[in-house]
């Protein structure tokens, strides 16, 4: 199961359980709370009415059915009413009021139904006659919870003794609609809370998964340059994911690990490649040196001595270019200065390579003006020098190496044999070379690697293609 699904499931499980219990408590408390409020008001009502009925009970007028209290209560029951209570219309008065004497027999009933009946067995009457708080809940219809009626009683005092009981009764169905509405609002609020919580959960989960995936992608991309590959020259330095909290600490730790891994891999790859490249010139120098220790004709001695010098120069070029490439690969970007003209860089590169081209019998030409841009002139000159040197090595005697400028691009065209198609994609790898026209493999394979790294530092790209005859290398720089 994926991390996002696990997080979302855990969030919904915890939030759902919490919401279930909270909603259950709210709903479970609504009905008793409403009835408690109703009972509290009925207590006050019963005691007020008990005081009002005390004189008529003491005088016997309630028993005789001719009392002012009785008439007023009867008038109350028949009063018209139309009250809007928080969105509900109340059109009936629901109190039932009855009075019992000290023996528990009903002497007055606002509904004229129970006069003369013995209520002494009812809990509210019994407790009130004993001087305690009397109340009860009963059903008009057995087994029907909606037919419940709440009874609250208050003692009627005559000369400081309990002479009777006044009971106020009210059906619970009169407040059921308020209970239902409250429960509905709580349930709707709970559903809204769940929906909002779900939205927050999804947002938090997506945020977490997005940051974790960024870290995962970053971790998968962490790798040192392989031996012989040009990843360090072509791949830009990865940016550390900017994530907060512990994930940010993890990202920075991964970046430090990446730096150590890349440094280790960088050195390992260089050592392997350099060891391979040094074998040939060292072997040639050793062989020539051993032969020079013997008695040789002057011509042979001069030949082997020249070979020692040639291979030493090859070693020196290899070391110099390795140092140049190493410096470039440790840089993150080019140092943008005031606008630099490609034409000036090309002229400087041609001046540096003119002597070598003359020794090989190769002519150098410059065409076009090119553009100017925020580039590092020394690096562009270095790249062009390596391109021109490479073109000179592959050009036959009497041919021309052309440097062409157009806009933000500079191209170097030679008249050599080109390279096999399979090798085009590998040009620019460290220590990768192809055979010279004379069949020798004298290059270090670092010239185009330096060129590609210079272009990458500027945010540009290099395009290599065969032109039959010759090879054309074009450097594109951003404006």
């Amino acid at each position: 199961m994926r991390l996002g699904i696990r997080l979302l499931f855990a969030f919904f499980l915890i939030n759902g359980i919490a919401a279930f219990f909270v909603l259950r408590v709210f709903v479970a408390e609504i009905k008793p709370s409403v009835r408690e409020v109703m009972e509290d008001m009925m207590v006050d009502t019963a005691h007020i009415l008990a005081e009002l009925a005390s004189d008529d009970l003491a005088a016997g007028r309630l028993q005789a059915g001719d009392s002012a209290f009785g008439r007023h209560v009867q008038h109350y029951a028949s009063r018209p009413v139309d009250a809007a209570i928080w969105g509900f219309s109340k059109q009936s008065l629901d109190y039932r009021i009855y009075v019992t004497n000290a023996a528990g027999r009903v002497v007055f009933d606002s509904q004229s139904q129970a006069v003369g009946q013995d209520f002494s067995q009812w809990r509210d009457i019994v407790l009130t006659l004993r001087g305690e708080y009397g109340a009860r809940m009963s059903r008009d219809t057995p087994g029907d919870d909606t037919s419940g009626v709440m009874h609250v009683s208050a003692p009627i005092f005559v000369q400081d003794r309990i002479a009777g009981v006044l009971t106020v009764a009210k059906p619970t169905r009169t407040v059921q609609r308020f209970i239902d509405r409250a429960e509905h609002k709580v349930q709707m609020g709970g559903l809204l809370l769940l929906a909002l919580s779900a939205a927050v959960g999804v947002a938090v989960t997506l945020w977490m998964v997005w940051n974790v995936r960024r870290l995962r992608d970053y971790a998968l991309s962490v790798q040192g340059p392989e031996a012989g590959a040009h990843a360090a020259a072509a791949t830009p330095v990865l940016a550390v994911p900017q994530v907060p909290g512990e994930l940010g600490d993890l990202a920075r730790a991964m970046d430090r690990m990446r730096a150590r891994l890349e440094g280790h891999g960088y050195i390992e790859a260089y050592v392997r490649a350099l060891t391979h490249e040094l074998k040939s010139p060292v072997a040639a120098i050793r062989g020539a040196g051993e032969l020079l220790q013997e008695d040789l004709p002057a011509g042979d001695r001069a030949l082997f001595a020249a070979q020692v010098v040639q291979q030493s120069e090859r070693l020196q070029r290899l070391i110099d270019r390795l140092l140049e490439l190493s410096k470039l690969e440790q840089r993150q970007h080019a140092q943008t200065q005031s606008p630099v003209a490609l034409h000036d860089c090309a002229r400087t590169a041609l001046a540096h390579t003119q002597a070598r081209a003359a020794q090989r019998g190769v002519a150098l030409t410059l065409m076009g003006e090119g553009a100017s841009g925020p580039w590092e002139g020394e690096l562009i000159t270095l790249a062009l020098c390596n391109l021109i040197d490479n073109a000179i090595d592959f050009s036959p005697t009497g041919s021309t190496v052309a440097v062409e400028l157009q806009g933000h691009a500079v191209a170097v065209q030679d008249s050599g044999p080109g390279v096999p198609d399979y090798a085009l994609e590998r040009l620019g790898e460290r220590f990768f070379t192809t055979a010279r026209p004379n069949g020798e493999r004298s290059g270090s394979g670092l010239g185009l690697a330096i060129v590609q790294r210079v272009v990458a530092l500027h945010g540009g790209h290099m395009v290599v293609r065969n032109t039959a005859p010759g090879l054309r290398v074009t450097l594109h720089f951003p404006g």
Side-chain angles (χ1 to χ4, degrees), residues 31 35 38-39 42 93-98 109-111 113 119 122-124 133-153 167-176:
K31 186 178 294 185
R35 290 178 178 176
M38 185 175 74
E39 183 176 352
M42 290 175 66
L93 299 174
D94 304 305
Y95 276 148
R96 177 189 179 187
I97 301 167
Y98 56 87
D109 183 1
S110 61
Q111 295 183 355
Q113 295 177 354
F119 278 14
W122 292 114
R123 183 174 181 273
D124 56 317
Y133 171 60
R136 67 182 169 93
M137 176 69 74
S138 60
R139 297 186 182 95
D140 284 345
T141 304
D144 185 3
D145 291 338
T146 64
S147 65
V149 179
M150 182 177 291
H151 299 74
V152 175
S153 299
T167 300
V168 177
K170 185 178 180 67
T172 57
R173 65 175 180 273
T174 59
V175 295
Q176 186 62 43

Side-chain angles (χ1 to χ4, degrees), residues 225-230 264-281 314-315 318-319 322 325 329 426 429-433 441 443-446 449:
E226 299 178 358
H230 63 285
H264 177 75
Y266 180 84
I267 294 174
E268 182 180 357
Y270 258 56
V271 169
R272 289 199 304 266
L274 182 59
T275 302
H276 176 75
E277 289 298 320
L278 290 177
K279 284 182 180 180
S280 295
R314 179 181 175 186
L315 284 175
L318 177 63
I319 293 172
L322 270 176
L325 183 58
E329 290 182 345
R426 297 193 61 187
E429 293 183 11
R430 292 192 300 269
F431 304 111
F432 176 77
T433 61
R441 182 180 177 274
S444 64
L446 296 176

